[in-house]
Structures are given as structure tokens and as C-alpha cells.
Amino acid sequence: MSARSLHDSATELLTGWKPESGPESSLREAMLAFLGSAPRGCLREHAPGHITASAVVFSADGRDVLLTLHPRVGRWIQLGGHCEEADETVADAALREATEESGIPGLRAEAGLYAAQAHPITCSLGVPTRHLDLLFRFTAPPGAVPVRSAESTDLRWWPVDALPPDSDVLIR
């Protein structure tokens, strides 16, 4: 487990991802170029920007998605956050973050990369940076009840066809 294994996993995920649209393909290529020039680019210490691990958590029946009202961003977004050197892969980081932020044990991951996004943000570094989000799809066990963590202003299930107007989450 190291910055190297995180970097390798991000590169492998992006290399194997076949986006559906031109803008996503462009983002994929930009992220791969970023990783090619940033050996520690999966860690928050990389101030110009860093790969982050996001989790789009669906209910067991797939009708609802779990969103957090992020205190710093001020909008409803998917769960997720920074990779840590203790994470072997970016997918491991996404599962850790989703479990910590949702309080739901037993989340099941879908294989491969779900999507990617890029966001300018002032994160815990305290300076403007860019989050290069790798998104993973997770399914919660039947009857899962989320428990809000200290990292969230609010946490709740939303119907996938009735997301809050200020949300910023990709649903496929």
C-alpha cells in the first residue's frame, strides 16, 4: 500500500474505462496525462490537484441514491473523499469513504469505473486546488439505514428521478 499502488490503480482504471461521450473521453485523457506527470497525484499533498475517490451509493432496488449535503461545497453530492496512503487502490479508498460517511456496512461495489468528474475546490489544504474524482458505483444492502457522519451537514436517500435541484451527481 503506497502512493505507487494508488497511482497504478488510478491509471489502470482510466486506461480500461471506455467513456460514452466526447467530453468524458477528453477528461479521461487529461486525467491520464495528469497521472503521467504526478507520481503522488493520488494524495491530497499534491496541491495542484489530486485524484479523489467518490462513491455513488444506490439503494438495494436501485431506485434511490444516497447523497450528502457537503458543508464546504454547500450542495448535495455523492459520498467520497481523499485517498490515503493506507488505501491500496482508489476503489478501496472509495469503499472506505462511503462506509465512513454513510455508516452502512456491507456496501457492494460494481466492477470498474462508473464515471469521472473534475472540480475546482479549496479542500483541507486551505488553498485552491482541483479534485479529479474517480467515481464508483455501490449498492447498499436491503433496508440499509444511513447514519450521518461529522463530515456531512445532512445525509439522505433521494429518488434517482427526483434529485435536489442543487445536486451535483452523475446518475447513469
Side-chain angles (χ1 to χ4, degrees):
M1 295 180 286
S2 68
R4 169 53 60 204
S5 68
L6 285 164
H7 187 280
D8 290 348
S9 75
T11 301
E12 183 178 320
L13 283 162
L14 286 162
T15 300
W17 182 45
K18 303 301 179 220
E20 297 175 9
S21 72
E24 287 181 317
S25 293
S26 179
L27 179 59
R28 174 186 172 272
E29 295 304 316
M31 287 181 164
L32 283 168
F34 164 79
L35 287 166
S37 66
R40 296 184 64 82
C42 290
L43 298 174
R44 85 175 83 201
E45 71 189 32
H46 194 267
H50 38 271
I51 297 290
T52 51
S54 290
V56 183
V57 178
F58 289 87
S59 60
D61 63 10
R63 294 181 186 169
D64 299 308
V65 64
L66 187 61
L67 300 181
T68 180
L69 182 56
H70 195 281
R72 183 165 292 158
V73 177
R75 291 186 300 186
W76 291 96
I77 62 173
Q78 72 270 354
L79 308 179
H82 292 104
C83 299
E84 305 291 342
E85 286 201 66
D87 299 315
E88 187 169 337
T89 67
V90 180
D92 291 343
L95 176 59
R96 175 185 51 74
E97 288 284 344
T99 302
E100 288 173 3
E101 292 181 10
S102 72
I104 300 173
L107 295 171
R108 265 187 350 206
E110 185 177 287
L113 193 59
Y114 180 68
Q117 294 177 309
H119 305 281
I121 189 169
T122 299
C123 67
S124 56
L125 292 174
V127 296
T129 187
R130 182 165 290 276
H131 278 180
L132 305 172
D133 290 338
L134 299 185
L135 284 74
F136 300 86
R137 181 184 171 122
F138 290 91
T139 302
V145 177
V147 178
R148 185 179 62 83
S149 75
E151 296 181 44
S152 177
T153 301
D154 198 356
L155 178 73
R156 70 174 87 149
W157 293 108
W158 291 88
V160 295
D161 59 355
L163 298 177
D166 63 342
S167 67
D168 184 15
V169 62
L170 290 172
I171 302 292
R172 299 179 187 261

